[in-house]
Amino acid sequence: MATELTWLGHGCWFVQSNNAAILLDPFLDDSPTAPRKSEDVAPNFILVSHGHFDHVADAARIAKRTSATVVSNFEICEWLGKQGAQSTEPMNIGGTIELPFGRVKMTIAHHSSVLPDGAYGGNPGGFLLTLADGKIYFACDTGLFDEMKEIGRSGIDLAVLPIGDRFTMGPDDALQAVKLIAPRQVAPSHYNTWPPIVQDAEAWAQRIKNETKANPVVVSPGGKIKL
Ligand code: NI
Ligand code: MN
């Protein structure tokens, strides 16, 4: 089956690939834009980029219900384990692990990562997924950084970049990121959840078309993207 992504609002994505269901940064029950609730998703794997509530909120609940394996940094895996996640794959920045659906590498992110109860959440990260039919780079919550060029060197089929500004890259820096990564397709994320991160994604997509070779794909929450 060709890889298909569904945007579940904010920084949350559902990826179906090679008979695996992968949920990134689950924030559903309290998200004002999520098209589904946590009880409506059944992932095999849950990827968590960093400890902020808008990325980790439903992770323990879903992991307990589905027995999904949590993939995150060591500290967040420990924290979710204490809350009942039975299966974890701890890793850290620069590391790659092999999973049944493909390879997962944790990349750097310029951000912070404290957990909702104040516990240390390790370093924030992004994820580079090498799947049977292509590569997806989730920058997750980050500012712009020059090593995105290195991430792009391996050939990225889809880059998912934050454009919300204030807490992450905004549209201008996300455009620069596309120039560094040179992905085949790019999708915006982490915007329009609340008033402080409202952005015009269509206007941004037009700039991507005008100034880069990447194909921008803008979907509404619930919308799907084919790799
Ligand atoms: Ni964050
Ligand atoms: Mn966030």
Side-chain angles (χ1 to χ4, degrees):
M1 187 190 81
T3 297
E4 187 179 78
L5 291 84
T6 307
W7 189 32
L8 297 183
H10 200 53
C12 183
W13 292 81
F14 191 75
V15 183
Q16 286 163 289
S17 180
N18 209 7
N19 297 320
I22 307 148
L23 181 65
L24 171 69
D25 285 351
F27 176 50
L28 300 170
D29 291 350
D30 293 332
S31 166
T33 60
R36 291 189 217 166
K37 294 293 182 193
S38 64
E39 63 190 27
D40 301 324
V41 292
N44 312 114
F45 294 90
I46 302 171
L47 275 54
V48 180
S49 66
H50 65 291
H52 292 159
F53 76 96
D54 56 321
H55 299 260
V56 78
D58 299 317
R61 186 176 300 122
I62 297 169
K64 272 196 278 191
R65 199 195 82 239
T66 64
S67 303
T69 297
V70 173
V71 180
S72 189
N73 70 29
F74 180 83
E75 292 82 0
I76 291 171
C77 283
E78 291 282 299
W79 189 80
L80 288 171
K82 282 179 198 152
Q83 293 178 47
Q86 297 132 35
S87 169
T88 60
E89 287 281 359
M91 58 189 308
N92 215 325
I93 287 162
T96 300
I97 60 172
E98 300 272 354
L99 292 172
F101 62 85
R103 281 205 302 280
V104 178
K105 182 174 189 178
M106 186 172 278
T107 57
I108 64 167
H110 289 316
H111 197 65
S112 52
S113 181
V114 71
L115 285 153
D117 62 357
Y120 175 61
N123 287 311
F127 290 107
L128 176 60
L129 307 188
T130 303
L131 306 170
D133 55 349
K135 291 192 183 197
I136 306 175
Y137 169 50
F138 289 103
C140 302
D141 284 18
T142 185
L144 180 65
F145 55 89
D146 203 48
E147 283 161 65
M148 285 180 175
K149 191 171 183 180
E150 181 60 34
I151 293 168
R153 203 187 297 276
S154 61
I156 301 297
D157 295 288
L158 172 65
V160 179
L161 305 177
I163 67 161
D165 221 332
R166 185 178 291 263
F167 302 110
T168 66
M169 291 190 284
D172 291 346
D173 281 358
L175 172 63
Q176 292 306 313
V178 173
K179 291 178 182 175
L180 290 172
I181 301 162
R184 187 163 57 76
Q185 302 186 85
V186 61
S189 185
H190 211 275
Y191 70 100
N192 285 4
T193 322
W194 301 286
I197 56 170
V198 165
Q199 299 294 342
D200 184 342
E202 292 297 343
W204 181 76
Q206 193 56 53
R207 292 174 69 194
I208 298 293
K209 276 184 197 159
N210 294 347
E211 297 182 43
T212 79
K213 289 186 179 135
N215 178 38
V217 192
V218 176
V219 293
S220 301
K224 292 178 191 298
I225 298 174
K226 286 228 187 299
L227 187 60

